[in-house]
Structures are given as structure tokens and as C-alpha cells.
Amino acid sequence: MKEALVHTPDGIRDIYGDEMIRKSIILDAIHDVFHSYNFRDIETPTFEYFNIFNKSIGSAPSNTMYKFFDRNNNTLVLRPDFTPSVARCVTKYFEKEELPIRLCYIGNAFKNVPLHQGKSNEIKEAGCELINDDTSGGEAEILSLVIDSMKAAGLTDFKIEIGEVQYFKGLVEEAGLSKEEEYKLREYIEMRNFFGLTEYAESLDIPENVKSAFMDFSKLFGGVEILDKASEFTSNVKSMEAIERLRKVLKALSYYGYEDYIGFDLGMLNGYEYYTGIIFRAYTYGTGDAIVKGGRYNTLLSEFGKDAPAIGFTLFIDELFLALSTQKKLPEVSPKGVLCLYMSDAQEKAVKFASFARKNGYPVSVIRKSSRHDINEYQEYIDNFRIELLVFFDRNDVYLYKDSMKKISIDELQNIFAGGVQ
């Protein structure tokens, strides 16, 4: 086999065996939670026009997209983000709908990131988008959905940090900052460079209370008490409304019994241009990045022609899988199904039994025994491929193998499988 033909491109890899089985189990559990909240599946194209993800939408930097051209010389990209694709679909198919629209997805996104970052360029994602709901109750329900999804996947120890970009925007407006000054402050906060933030804020000619607020962004994370602290610095309407919004969300989450999973971080400004209100990240042990990212994006759909509020999130399956692996909470992979092995003159009996077992819910593979392999090799084969049972049809007899081989009649065999999968 030529070596060049068996390797994948940089930044992507094959997934198979137990890892694939475990990821499927996790995805099925998450998908069931999405459906339990009455979110409906949507599938968007793997590639779209470049303008769907352009700079004004703020989806992804151009240099991180995989670009190519169609026969008419239009620039196409592999989707780097599901949300703009869903926004495009909602505008196209639900333009006049004013009541809530609930959509969910599972699929791959693609980002051409530098190799030294150690991240995959093909990213398995699962997420939900709630359109036409601008309430704090809708935000609490989305956060509850995130919590239930992570619990269904197997996590028990995690935290969701919540911010509100309008708090920072209110302070910027109160201080009368220029775009350049606003950007500089935001950059320091996003980079968690609080020494630089303090020095820069001190140099600004702005009211002392607002200056103190900017310098204290290093302390504006923790429990509900930080909302009280944040409100001491300002009385501008936008910032105070942001704080009150967070209080309402926390109160609604208490009705779900989920307030203990929540923390606050008013310095969370990543995606500042993209998000218009609440923004959140979910963290756990065993991974260096957030396993969930989301927030409110009330202006995104207007880029496509529909003026509608929206909130959503993306759950990053690879990060989740890494965390579950580190915490030793991956789902068990149990042997499943039947290998129906037959000698050439017993094919009819084998095929009829396989059909019977499949009708009763058992996965069955039918293989003719090769003269080059003895029965012990087939026993090793079912262990290697996580197959639970081996049924061997010899010329005159039938044998059932699980932990040991034993002779069995056809009637006894069918009785075993007649009850269906338990």
C-alpha cells in the first residue's frame, strides 16, 4: 500500500472502533435531550457561499476558512460555523413567522487553524438555535438545555460561566470612549491582561466610577455577589438592565433547580461584535477549552433579511469526549450482535436464521467459513469487533459460542432469539 494514500490531510483524522461507538452513544443521548425540549432537526449544506460567513456577520476570520470555487467562479467555503447557515435558512423558510422557532443540528464544521495549536480542523458540533424569543425565560431554557445535554453525555462536574456584553457597552457609552479606546480596553479584558488594563484605564480622561469599573473587571467573576459589585460602579441604563437581565435568568434557572451550575463573568467579551446580550461558556475538568459556547445574537438574522431575536449554543463533541475520557466517564462499549458463520453446504440454514434474528432486533453478519481460518480465529474476531455471539452452522450441526462453544438445536437457537433484544 502506498504510504501517501493512507494518510489524512493535516488537521483531520479517522475515527473508528470503540471511539466511534462511544461518540455515537454520546451524540444519541444529546440528540434525545434536544428533542425532549422540542427542538427540530435541520441539516444545512456542508459548503455555502463565502458571503454567508463574511466579516460583517462576524462568524470566522477569512484566513481560517477553507475556500474553493464553483464552475461560475463563485467563492464557496466549507462551513466554519452552523449559526449563520441556520440564520440563512430561517430567513428563507420562516420569513413571516413571529412565534418561536426551535432548530437543532449535529454535524461537522471546518476551520483551517495553524498546526501548532494542536486542534482538529474538522470539528464535530451539536447545537440549538432558538429564534423569535427575546425573553430571559428563553435564555434560562437554553441554559437548562445545555446542562441537561452535558449530564446526559455523562458529565457531573461542570460550570457554566455567563456574561452580558451590554454591561461593558453601557460603560463605554457612559465614558464617551472612542472606537479605538473601546477596542483597546476590550482587548486587555479578552486577553485577561489586567495589569495592562489597569494602566490603560488610569490614563483615560473618564469619570472615576467608570474608570474603577474597568479596572475591576479582573474581579467581576464568581457567584451572584459579583452582580451586586458590578452595580456599584454605574447607574447607566444599559449596564443596569444587563445586570438585571442576569438576575432574571438566574431566578428562572432556580425553577429548574440548576442555579448551582451557574457562575458569572462580566469580562467575557469574546465574540463581542457577534453577540448582543447574554453570552456563556461551559467548562469542566480535563480539557483546555470550553465545551459549550453560546449567547444571544439579536442582529444576525437581519443580515439575511429577517429582523428577529435569537439565542443559541454549540457543544463541541471532541472537547466533551476528551473531558469524559480524562474523567473516566466515557460510556461502556458492550459486545453486540451476532456473527452467523456457516460451512458452504449450510448456507440456507444460516441465512434463514439470520433473517429470523434480524426480525427480532438482533444485528447479524453472515460469513462463510474460510478453509484458511479455523474456528479459534473467528472467536478472536468477534472479540476484536465487539460481537457478542458466534453461531456456527456446520454441515449437520449448529454450535453457539459466547464464552465457550456448545452444540445446540435449531429450535433451541430460535427460542433464544425469539424474545427479541432486551
Side-chain angles (χ1 to χ4, degrees), residues 388-421:
E388 183 179 9
L389 298 171
L390 168 64
V391 179
F392 177 41
F393 290 83
D394 203 346
R395 288 176 176 82
N396 300 311
D397 300 310
V398 183
Y399 298 87
L400 177 65
Y401 172 81
K402 186 173 184 181
D403 300 315
S404 61
M405 187 73 79
K406 68 176 182 177
K407 188 175 178 180
I408 190 170
S409 72
I410 288 289
D411 288 342
E412 289 175 314
L413 185 65
Q414 290 190 333
N415 284 336
I416 291 173
F417 289 86
V421 176

Side-chain angles (χ1 to χ4, degrees), residues 74-345:
N74 295 305
T75 304
L76 307 176
V77 297
L78 296 178
R79 64 174 171 234
D81 179 7
F82 275 88
T83 303
S85 292
V86 174
R88 175 191 57 75
C89 287
V90 168
T91 302
K92 182 176 181 180
Y93 302 111
F94 302 96
E95 182 182 5
K96 302 300 183 183
E97 182 59 68
E98 296 181 356
L99 293 175
I101 303 165
R102 296 166 175 247
L103 299 172
C104 63
Y105 58 83
I106 294 176
N108 293 349
F110 304 85
K111 292 185 180 178
N112 191 8
V113 297
L115 286 177
H116 65 80
Q117 291 187 7
K119 295 185 177 182
S120 175
N121 289 6
E122 184 174 14
I123 308 155
K124 177 68 75 175
E125 298 181 359
C128 294
E129 312 293 344
L130 175 58
I131 318 296
N132 285 338
D133 189 330
D134 197 25
T135 66
S136 58
E139 292 164 355
E141 186 175 25
I142 282 288
L143 290 165
S144 172
L145 173 52
V146 170
I147 292 167
D148 282 340
S149 297
M150 291 192 292
K151 290 170 66 177
L155 287 179
T156 55
D157 195 358
F158 57 87
K159 200 79 171 180
I160 300 179
E161 299 290 341
I162 306 177
E164 235 287 2
V165 298
Q166 295 299 321
Y167 177 76
F168 178 78
K169 289 182 177 180
L171 292 174
V172 168
E173 291 178 7
E174 184 177 354
L177 297 178
S178 67
K179 281 292 182 184
E180 182 180 350
E181 291 169 331
E182 175 186 357
Y183 175 80
K184 195 71 175 176
L185 280 170
R186 179 159 55 90
E187 186 178 40
Y188 281 125
I189 293 170
E190 287 178 350
M191 294 175 63
R192 295 298 199 253
N193 181 358
F194 295 119
F195 292 106
L197 174 65
T198 298
E199 184 178 15
Y200 184 69
E202 284 278 18
S203 70
L204 296 174
D205 184 18
I206 57 177
E208 287 300 318
N209 67 307
V210 183
K211 184 180 293 188
S212 297
F214 286 134
M215 290 190 294
D216 255 26
F217 261 88
S218 62
K219 302 174 185 175
L220 293 182
F221 65 91
V224 67
E225 70 279 356
I226 69 114
L227 301 183
D228 296 328
K229 184 175 180 62
S231 63
E232 293 173 0
F233 293 115
T234 182
S235 59
N236 77 76
V237 173
K238 183 172 288 188
S239 295
M240 294 304 291
E241 284 182 348
I243 293 171
E244 183 59 26
R245 183 77 166 203
L246 292 176
R247 293 187 194 278
K248 289 180 179 179
V249 170
L250 184 63
K251 183 176 181 180
L253 279 167
S254 72
Y255 302 150
Y256 292 91
Y258 286 163
E259 65 272 27
D260 289 343
Y261 289 103
I262 302 301
F264 296 97
D265 182 1
L266 293 179
M268 187 186 299
L269 298 177
N270 302 81
Y272 178 75
E273 302 296 340
Y274 187 88
Y275 293 112
T276 59
I278 187 173
I279 181 173
F280 55 87
R281 303 282 186 268
Y283 297 94
T284 188
Y285 301 107
T287 178
D289 202 355
I291 55 175
V292 175
K293 297 179 181 180
R296 179 166 290 287
Y297 51 94
N298 283 357
T299 60
L300 177 60
L301 274 82
S302 64
E303 295 284 342
F304 300 94
K306 181 179 174 66
D307 186 15
I311 184 172
F313 69 88
T314 297
L315 200 162
F316 300 95
I317 301 302
D318 291 337
E319 294 292 339
L320 172 63
F321 192 89
L322 176 61
L324 290 168
S325 178
T326 302
Q327 296 177 28
K328 302 187 185 307
K329 292 179 179 178
L330 286 172
E332 294 294 327
V333 178
S334 302
K336 183 179 181 181
V338 184
L339 169 59
C340 189
L341 184 67
Y342 67 92
M343 300 298 291
S344 58
D345 54 1

